[in-house]
Amino acid sequence: MSARLLVAGVGNIFLADDAFGPEVIRALERHPLPPEVRVRDFGIRGMDLAYELLDGYDTAVLVDASVRGHAPGTLSLIEPDLPGDPATAAPPEAHGMDPAKVLALAAHLGDEPLPRVLVLACEPELRAPADEDIAPGVSATVREAVDRAVAALHTMVPVLLADPGARPPLSRPDESAALSPAGLRGSVSGGAEDR
């Protein structure tokens, strides 16, 4: 039996390059992954993603824009630290799409351990100005990275289906020699007020 795998696009389509995750999921409609992979655009619906993470997946790959200090369009594969014992932590926020907070919420809601979580992140070029509520459209640099992310997922997914604990490479590695154990604080937007 194959491993259960979730590929989840996250981000706000109205905040410039933060739309990277949803754009990748849209591109996967033209280049589908194997049928045993659930592909879904969660946008800014953090609560929905938190509950989905509790649905028995072996691995979840979140696709998101994340500021990591690289050249715009750089793809990174990140394996974030999962939340510790949820019983000893304050309840996390139930709204917004900050991936670290969504993971904390999922850990708080569920009795079982979370699946292994990887983040396929793209360094953004355009960010919505602080004084604007809407800045639709991704930069040309991030638009090009969408195609590379789709290729990366087609390389990663068979590896993860065969072995959920494997270290999958990116198809054109930018930062994939070893998975980065960094947290997700560099996400393009932080919470409900930003996304």
Side-chain angles (χ1 to χ4, degrees):
M1 180 174 177
S2 294
R4 292 197 53 208
L5 177 62
L6 171 68
V7 174
V10 298
N12 191 325
I13 62 170
F14 297 112
L15 294 180
D17 286 347
D18 194 43
F20 172 74
E23 288 292 325
V24 170
I25 300 306
R26 200 166 88 193
L28 284 170
E29 292 173 4
R30 295 183 306 275
H31 306 284
L33 292 169
E36 58 266 33
V37 179
R38 171 138 178 153
V39 177
R40 188 166 172 208
D41 175 11
F42 286 89
I44 57 172
R45 296 182 320 276
M47 181 67 86
D48 289 351
L49 177 56
Y51 276 112
E52 187 75 23
L53 289 169
L54 301 175
D55 200 26
Y57 294 100
D58 295 313
T59 310
V61 179
L62 308 184
V63 184
D64 195 12
S66 181
V67 177
R68 300 185 49 77
H70 299 298
T74 299
L75 296 178
S76 300
L77 188 59
I78 306 163
E79 185 162 12
D81 295 328
L82 294 179
D85 182 5
T88 62
E93 293 179 19
H95 302 286
M97 185 44 103
D98 178 313
K101 291 178 182 176
V102 170
L103 293 175
L105 177 61
H108 183 76
L109 293 171
D111 295 329
E112 299 296 319
L114 293 178
R116 179 185 188 202
V117 175
L118 299 172
V119 180
L120 179 58
C122 179
E123 187 77 28
E125 182 174 21
L126 295 177
R127 297 170 70 181
D131 60 341
E132 292 184 30
D133 291 335
I134 297 178
V138 297
S139 65
T141 303
V142 169
R143 169 92 34 226
E144 186 271 331
V146 166
D147 292 334
R148 289 188 292 114
V150 168
L153 286 165
H154 277 277
T155 299
M156 293 166 46
V157 162
V159 173
L160 292 170
L161 287 174
D163 178 6
R167 290 182 176 225
L170 293 176
S171 61
R172 286 182 49 190
D174 290 309
E175 187 189 336
S176 63
L179 295 181
S180 170
L184 299 176
R185 292 189 189 117
S187 290
V188 171
S189 32
E193 68 279 3
D194 293 327
R195 288 186 172 206

